[in-house]
Amino acid sequence: MNSQATLDIRYALRLLLRNRAFSAGLVATTAVVVGACACLFTLLYGLALRPITLKDADRLVVLWESNRDTGQSRLPLMDGAYPLYRQKLSTFDEIAAFQPYDGSLRPITIAETGERVKMARAAPELFQMLDASPQIGRTFLHSETNLESSSVVLSHRFWERHFGSDAGVIGGSLLLNEYGEPVRYTIVGVMKEGFEFPSPLFRGSPDFWVCLKYAPRFTPGNHFFTIGKRKRTATLPEVQADLKRVAERIAVEQPRFYGSQSIQAVPIQAESVREMRSTVVTLIAAFLLVMSVGSANITHLVLARATSRRREASIRLALGATRLDLLRLTGVEFGLPIFLGGAAGLIVAAWGFVALPAVLPPGLNVARIDALLLDWPVVLMTLCACVIGALALGFILSARVGFDGIPSGLHSGPTISTGRSPLLRRPGSMILICEVALAFALLAGAFVMLQSVRRLLDEGARTNPGRLLSLEVLFPNNIQFDSATTRAKYASFLLNAAAIRGVQAVALADSFPLTEFPQEFTLGRGPGIAGAAQYAEMHIVTPGYSEIVGLQVTAGRWLADSDGEKSTPVVVINEAMARGGLWAGQPLGKRLRNSLRGSTEWPEEWEVVGIVREPKRFGSGRAAPPAVYFPFSQATTRNLTILARTDGNARRVASPVRDEALRLLPGKVMIDKLRTGTDIVSESTARSSFVAAQLTALALVALALASIGVYSIVSFYSSQRTHEIAVRMAVGGSRGQVMWLIVSQTATLVGIGAASGCILAVALVRTLSSFRYDAQPTDSYLYLVTAAIFGAVGLVASYAVARRVTD
């Protein structure tokens, strides 16, 4: 390092130590800006720019079906359509099916230890298409897709953890408890380290893979997730045209199952961030706002510093220094605190992203969350931004202190005159307005998101979620008994569970909270629209379900205990279903048919006996879609969800209710997903709550920066007007008049900033509402609250400054 550079750094250090308040403010503000910048780069690079670690990832696409009749989109391929697409597509080298692990529905454990594991199903062509060769052994054979194969391929991580990297594991066995049934698999291979598909499409890596079986037949409710590798010469539009051609052909051949289906291809890179996209866009916008507020503060600090040192710069120029010397000196002077702040910001950002997976709400699943790491590309981008910022600030300062000329600088005093200048053209006015506007938008957006979460929690609180208990019953697949036996077992359970101390009501449902899976309903015998069909959710419940969930009968009646096996088959519909176009007049008394009967023991037609009004979906805040409720006694199924309403804390009765459920089939039945209503509400609101928390934290940072900015701008430029203030008071102006002048001018600037920020806030809230966050742009009182906060900030800051400069 040459002597001049050493002198410049020593000089910058002396200035930092001499002006501790200024230096601390600049370092802290820079740390905030650089931390936000690092987070922004990490989100963009980690989720959008970093390539997926799969061979030929740029050629991989995910295939999704859509149903025109139900309005559903992003559906996995029907099982019967998958082999037809493999045969008839001409723009793909290969397509491959898989089924990711879904432990929330099907718990799988190691039989000997009870350890819960993650299993994925994969077609043999998946490994070939991804060029994923095993470390030892082999993958699946095509002949195993049509056989009762029991082959399993282990992940490298699972092989190390459970088998100690023993190469002799090939040919050994793995005994699992799969859905309550013991299943023995033969180990045929171990994958190389790093292969974890279907990650990054789905969060979590499987412990092992079993062969996916498929045949050229359509099975209702059986779907495969599918990816394909397009040919090198095939463009995405050509691929889409090819998919459309084959889909139309399959629809002609299979009109019953495939008449309303369409298909599209989505690049795997875009698909891997789909679930996170709304959250990422929101956080990027928030980070940009915080960066802008912080940058405005830094710019003001630089300009203020430049104004106070014009005389010093002029003396340096008069003594022979060049403008390049000024640029070098100011660059070092501001580069040092900027890099100190930058280092602090990078440390905080790195710690935050390391801790992010641990602090994510349990109900928020983000596929590529592990990709959010502050690695070298992000650090380099952030350092480049710091260098550019330091050079820019050095240039601004040197230009400010040097371009007025030597005589002007030598004759200028410590004050500036702004009394006759238009308010908006005075130094710092536009900076103050921008800071207030940006911070206002972020704080208002945070308020709206918090209000959105409060609405969702209020909706869930109407049913007293802390008193609700939910648990799922899973019977083993290898144990079969008829509907009468199933009804008898559950009837005995309901009687015994209702007698448990603390339990007020017990009911059964096929799922809870209700999942949206529309099915086709048509009119049965009697007057109606011939051939008409309507799609609605199908739910199987017991009579006590209405009381627990809070359904209100608006016409007819609810399901009763008398609706038994030998009585007339009945259903109840909700108001959304009743408003559909299926009915010719009053729905009551009409007969419904369901195109997909769950059992040959179920009736073919059902009489509508009631209409109910549903509250908003439990914990989600969304209105209920069309739905049809079937009585369990007439549409019997085995695997059900038990719902219990208690007289207090639901967790107190969880153990006795669970024990009673285990007696349905001692030693065989499995109990899964034991939760209270509070747990369900928390899971349903996880994404909105996470976004609201992040926006609130960033908004508070922006508010603090804006408050400091308002005070420092008003303070600096008021101190530069000491000559003007002294003249005003000398010619008869009172202290109150001078104080009012400063306060009123500050209030005007803050008001303009707040008005501008309100426009930005409305745009931000509309963006949030488009992401299904239930944000309401019409919550005008929240904007008034935000305006009041900034009004108080401006008033306190200007009053404090006014008192100081008039003392």
Side-chain angles (χ1 to χ4, degrees):
M1 184 181 295
N2 59 46
S3 58
Q4 185 60 52
T6 304
L7 291 174
D8 290 343
I9 293 175
R10 290 178 178 176
Y11 176 73
L13 285 173
R14 286 198 301 270
L15 289 178
L16 280 176
L17 296 176
R18 182 188 307 168
N19 303 285
R20 292 184 179 86
F22 172 84
S23 301
L26 184 57
V27 169
T29 305
T30 303
V32 172
V33 174
V34 172
C37 183
C39 292
L40 177 63
F41 286 153
T42 300
L43 289 171
L44 289 175
Y45 180 76
L47 297 178
L49 301 179
R50 176 186 283 134
I52 293 176
T53 56
L54 294 173
K55 186 176 181 180
D56 297 325
D58 58 322
R59 295 165 54 198
L60 296 177
V61 295
V62 183
L63 304 183
W64 293 110
E65 290 183 343
S66 300
N67 189 304
R68 292 186 296 274
D69 292 335
T70 65
Q72 292 176 292
S73 60
R74 311 191 84 84
L75 296 171
L77 265 64
M78 288 188 179
D79 59 347
Y82 169 67
L84 296 177
Y85 276 112
R86 288 198 68 216
Q87 296 169 9
K88 300 176 180 180
L89 287 172
S90 60
T91 55
F92 285 85
D93 285 338
E94 183 62 275
I95 68 171
F98 65 95
Q99 288 179 331
Y101 167 76
D102 191 353
S104 63
L105 297 178
R106 299 177 175 181
I108 302 173
T109 59
I110 298 176
E112 292 88 350
T113 64
E115 177 188 351
R116 197 159 182 165
V117 290
K118 301 175 183 178
M119 180 181 75
R121 300 184 184 275
E125 50 269 17
L126 178 71
F127 299 98
Q128 300 169 11
M129 185 183 71
L130 298 178
D131 196 24
S133 57
Q135 179 164 326
I136 56 174
R138 63 171 177 85
T139 57
F140 305 124
L141 305 175
H142 279 90
S143 59
E144 293 176 321
T145 60
N146 296 318
L147 302 175
E148 292 301 321
S149 169
S150 60
S151 300
V152 63
V153 176
L154 306 181
S155 69
H156 192 277
R157 182 188 64 258
F158 186 81
W159 176 53
E160 285 184 330
R161 187 171 75 244
H162 284 271
F163 296 96
S165 302
D166 180 13
V169 73
I170 302 300
S173 63
L174 179 65
L175 183 61
L176 301 178
N177 189 341
E178 189 174 333
Y179 325 142
E181 176 183 355
V183 180
R184 187 174 297 277
Y185 287 93
T186 301
I187 302 171
V188 299
V190 177
M191 295 305 297
K192 291 181 179 179
E193 186 174 7
F195 183 81
E196 298 179 337
F197 193 87
S199 174
L201 288 178
F202 295 88
R203 188 179 180 184
S205 304
D207 294 308
F208 43 80
W209 298 263
V210 298
C211 188
L212 178 69
K213 302 175 181 62
Y214 60 88
R217 64 175 182 271
F218 287 81
T219 306
N222 196 20
H223 297 78
F224 298 153
F225 292 89
T226 310
I227 63 170
K229 179 185 286 188
R230 57 185 175 87
K231 293 183 176 179
R232 294 186 183 277
T233 57
T235 64
L236 201 57
E238 291 173 343
V239 165
Q240 192 59 55
D242 190 26
L243 289 169
K244 182 180 179 182
R245 174 186 61 82
V246 177
E248 291 174 349
R249 184 172 176 179
I250 298 176
V252 172
E253 296 174 356
Q254 299 286 342
R256 178 185 176 190
F257 298 102
Y258 217 76
S260 59
Q261 302 293 110
S262 60
I263 190 170
Q264 65 172 340
V266 180
I268 194 171
Q269 183 83 23
E271 184 61 32
S272 66
V273 298
R274 178 176 60 88
E275 289 295 327
M276 188 67 171
R277 186 174 296 123
S278 60
T279 304
V280 169
V281 171
T282 303
L283 293 180
I284 285 176
F287 283 131
L288 283 174
L289 291 176
V290 172
M291 286 173 57
S292 301
V293 174
S295 298
N297 261 8
I298 294 175
T299 302
H300 161 255
L301 290 172
V302 171
L303 293 176
R305 186 75 167 173
T307 302
S308 64
R309 296 181 59 196
R310 290 169 63 195
R311 187 177 182 84
E312 174 194 338
S314 298
I315 293 175
R316 287 180 178 272
L317 290 173
L319 293 176
T322 65
R323 299 188 190 279
L324 184 61
D325 293 331
L326 286 180
L327 178 61
R328 187 196 69 249
L329 188 61
T330 52
V332 173
E333 177 184 348
F334 282 92
L336 186 59
I338 284 176
F339 275 98
L340 288 175
L346 285 175
I347 292 172
V348 173
W351 175 85
F353 280 113
V354 169
L356 181 59
V359 301
L360 278 176
L364 184 59
N365 292 320
V366 182
R368 296 194 69 190
I369 191 64
D370 295 332
L372 296 181
L373 299 173
L374 201 65
D375 50 11
W376 283 111
V378 175
V379 173
L380 290 176
M381 285 189 288
T382 306
L383 289 177
C384 289
C386 289
V387 171
I388 294 173
L391 293 176
L393 292 178
F395 178 78
I396 292 172
L397 181 56
S398 62
R400 179 77 175 177
V401 300
F403 286 176
D404 288 339
I406 298 175
S408 175
L410 291 174
H411 291 292
S412 62
T415 62
I416 58 175
S417 177
T418 59
R420 298 181 180 179
S421 303
L423 183 60
L424 295 180
R425 294 180 59 184
R426 295 179 185 177
S429 294
M430 294 308 300
I431 295 177
L432 189 151
I433 291 174
C434 290
E435 281 197 69
V436 171
L438 295 172
F440 185 102
L442 190 52
L443 186 60
F447 281 156
V448 172
M449 279 301 302
L450 290 173
Q451 177 72 353
S452 170
V453 174
R454 188 189 66 80
R455 286 197 190 96
L456 294 178
L457 295 177
D458 287 347
E459 288 291 339
R462 293 180 183 179
T463 56
N464 295 317
R467 297 172 54 193
L468 179 68
L469 180 69
S470 167
L471 61 155
E472 293 185 1
V473 177
L474 301 173
F475 283 89
N477 293 338
N478 62 341
I479 297 179
Q480 301 294 331
F481 39 80
D482 58 18
S483 297
T485 304
T486 303
R487 289 193 295 269
K489 287 182 175 293
Y490 275 114
S492 175
F493 164 78
L494 290 174
L495 287 174
N496 296 334
I500 295 175
R501 183 177 181 181
V503 175
Q504 294 181 334
V506 185
L508 304 175
D510 56 343
S511 62
F512 187 84
L514 302 179
T515 56
E516 297 181 14
F517 185 73
Q519 296 192 29
E520 183 183 76
F521 290 90
T522 57
L523 287 177
R525 297 187 302 271
I529 304 174
Q534 184 171 348
Y535 284 84
E537 295 181 7
M538 174 180 172
H539 305 300
I540 301 171
V541 298
T542 57
Y545 179 86
S546 173
E547 176 188 353
I548 292 177
V549 176
L551 304 180
Q552 299 179 9
V553 177
T554 57
R557 67 175 178 87
W558 177 244
L559 305 174
D561 292 330
S562 58
D563 296 321
E565 178 185 6
K566 297 181 180 180
S567 59
T568 302
V570 297
V571 294
V572 172
I573 63 176
N574 66 358
E575 290 181 329
M577 179 71 172
R579 290 192 295 267
L582 184 64
W583 321 101
Q586 174 60 248
L588 294 181
K590 300 290 176 61
R591 290 180 175 272
L592 279 180
R593 282 178 176 265
N594 177 234
S595 60
L596 298 177
R597 294 172 62 193
S599 168
T600 56
E601 300 180 20
W602 291 12
E604 293 186 0
E605 295 186 355
W606 310 77
E607 180 183 347
V608 179
V609 296
I611 302 174
V612 295
R613 177 176 298 148
E614 288 192 61
K616 290 186 177 181
R617 281 297 159 89
F618 196 86
S620 69
R622 291 182 287 129
V628 181
Y629 290 91
F630 290 73
F632 166 71
S633 56
Q634 297 176 343
T636 306
T637 185
R638 294 198 309 170
N639 294 340
L640 293 170
T641 298
I642 297 170
L643 300 175
R645 173 70 66 186
T646 67
D647 59 4
N649 189 340
R651 297 190 185 277
R652 296 176 182 174
V653 300
S655 293
V657 173
R658 181 180 182 275
D659 293 341
E660 191 62 44
L662 290 173
R663 295 190 183 97
L664 285 166
L665 196 63
K668 299 293 184 180
V669 71
M670 295 183 63
I671 303 300
D672 193 38
K673 296 177 69 174
L674 193 153
R675 301 174 296 177
T676 67
T678 303
D679 299 329
I680 297 173
V681 171
S682 298
E683 292 176 9
S684 301
T685 60
R687 186 176 297 274
S688 296
S689 299
F690 176 73
V691 173
Q694 301 306 308
L695 281 182
T696 302
L698 293 173
L700 292 177
V701 172
L703 177 62
L705 290 176
S707 301
I708 295 172
V710 170
Y711 178 83
S712 60
I713 289 174
V714 175
S715 176
F716 176 76
Y717 288 106
S718 295
S719 65
Q720 295 295 303
R721 297 171 61 186
T722 53
H723 181 73
E724 172 195 342
I725 292 172
V727 171
R728 287 178 178 272
M729 299 185 72
V731 298
S734 65
R735 181 185 181 189
Q737 290 175 328
V738 173
M739 292 178 66
W740 170 250
L741 176 67
I742 296 174
V743 171
S744 62
Q745 290 180 348
T746 304
T748 301
L749 296 176
V750 171
I752 296 173
S756 304
C758 188
I759 298 174
L760 290 176
V762 171
L764 177 62
V765 172
R766 290 191 181 277
T767 303
L768 293 174
S769 62
S770 68
F771 292 149
R772 297 186 68 182
Y773 283 131
D774 195 36
Q776 301 294 330
T778 56
D779 290 333
S780 56
Y781 72 95
L782 295 176
Y783 302 112
L784 295 177
V785 171
T786 309
I789 291 175
F790 278 91
V793 167
L795 179 63
V796 171
S798 58
Y799 179 76
V801 171
R803 285 200 59 175
R804 180 170 57 81
V805 299
T806 56
D807 283 342

